[in-house]
Short mmCIF file of all heavy atoms in Angstrom, two decimals:
data_model
loop_
_atom_site.label_atom_id
_atom_site.label_comp_id
_atom_site.label_asym_id
_atom_site.label_seq_id
_atom_site.Cartn_x
_atom_site.Cartn_y
_atom_site.Cartn_z
N GLN A 106 82.45 152.11 42.30
CA GLN A 106 82.55 153.60 42.37
C GLN A 106 81.14 154.09 43.22
O GLN A 106 81.26 154.93 44.08
CB GLN A 106 82.44 154.34 41.11
CG GLN A 106 83.79 154.36 40.42
CD GLN A 106 83.79 154.77 39.01
OE1 GLN A 106 82.83 154.76 38.37
NE2 GLN A 106 85.00 155.36 38.60
N THR A 107 80.05 153.27 42.95
CA THR A 107 78.75 153.57 43.60
C THR A 107 79.02 153.27 45.08
O THR A 107 78.56 153.95 45.96
CB THR A 107 77.63 152.62 42.84
OG1 THR A 107 77.64 152.90 41.53
CG2 THR A 107 76.41 152.89 43.66
N LYS A 108 79.70 152.08 45.46
CA LYS A 108 79.83 151.77 46.78
C LYS A 108 80.77 152.89 47.48
O LYS A 108 80.49 153.09 48.55
CB LYS A 108 80.52 150.33 46.95
CG LYS A 108 79.60 149.30 46.77
CD LYS A 108 80.24 147.88 46.93
CE LYS A 108 79.34 146.79 46.69
NZ LYS A 108 80.00 145.44 46.90
N LEU A 109 81.71 153.34 46.72
CA LEU A 109 82.66 154.22 47.31
C LEU A 109 81.98 155.63 47.59
O LEU A 109 82.10 156.17 48.58
CB LEU A 109 83.96 154.47 46.31
CG LEU A 109 84.86 155.56 46.84
CD1 LEU A 109 85.53 155.31 48.05
CD2 LEU A 109 85.84 155.90 45.70
N GLU A 110 81.08 156.05 46.60
CA GLU A 110 80.32 157.30 46.80
C GLU A 110 79.41 157.08 48.09
O GLU A 110 79.25 158.04 48.87
CB GLU A 110 79.52 157.59 45.59
CG GLU A 110 80.29 158.08 44.46
CD GLU A 110 79.47 158.24 43.20
OE1 GLU A 110 78.27 158.19 43.21
OE2 GLU A 110 80.16 158.51 42.07
N SER A 111 78.77 155.92 48.14
CA SER A 111 77.95 155.65 49.20
C SER A 111 78.62 155.69 50.61
O SER A 111 78.21 156.28 51.66
CB SER A 111 77.24 154.23 49.07
OG SER A 111 76.46 154.04 50.23
N ALA A 112 79.80 155.07 50.65
CA ALA A 112 80.74 155.01 51.88
C ALA A 112 81.20 156.40 52.19
O ALA A 112 81.17 156.81 53.43
CB ALA A 112 81.87 154.19 51.63
N GLN A 113 81.47 157.31 51.13
CA GLN A 113 81.96 158.57 51.44
C GLN A 113 80.81 159.40 51.85
O GLN A 113 80.93 160.18 52.81
CB GLN A 113 82.51 159.24 50.12
CG GLN A 113 83.92 158.76 49.74
CD GLN A 113 84.26 159.22 48.37
OE1 GLN A 113 83.40 159.43 47.47
NE2 GLN A 113 85.66 159.25 48.07
N ASN A 114 79.59 159.27 51.45
CA ASN A 114 78.43 160.13 51.95
C ASN A 114 78.27 159.57 53.45
O ASN A 114 77.92 160.43 54.27
CB ASN A 114 77.14 159.78 51.03
CG ASN A 114 77.23 160.31 49.72
OD1 ASN A 114 78.08 161.32 49.51
ND2 ASN A 114 76.60 159.93 48.73
N GLU A 115 78.23 158.34 53.70
CA GLU A 115 78.02 157.75 55.06
C GLU A 115 79.07 158.37 55.96
O GLU A 115 78.84 158.78 57.07
CB GLU A 115 78.10 156.32 55.06
CG GLU A 115 77.66 155.65 56.33
CD GLU A 115 77.66 154.22 56.25
OE1 GLU A 115 77.33 153.54 55.16
OE2 GLU A 115 77.91 153.38 57.30
N LEU A 116 80.42 158.41 55.55
CA LEU A 116 81.40 159.01 56.26
C LEU A 116 81.18 160.46 56.62
O LEU A 116 81.35 160.87 57.83
CB LEU A 116 82.73 158.77 55.65
CG LEU A 116 84.04 159.39 56.29
CD1 LEU A 116 84.18 158.73 57.68
CD2 LEU A 116 85.23 159.25 55.43
#
Side-chain angles (χ1 to χ4, degrees):
Q106 285 174 333
T107 303
K108 284 183 179 181
L109 176 61
E110 288 174 12
S111 176
Q113 287 172 332
N114 290 339
E115 189 176 326
L116 178 62

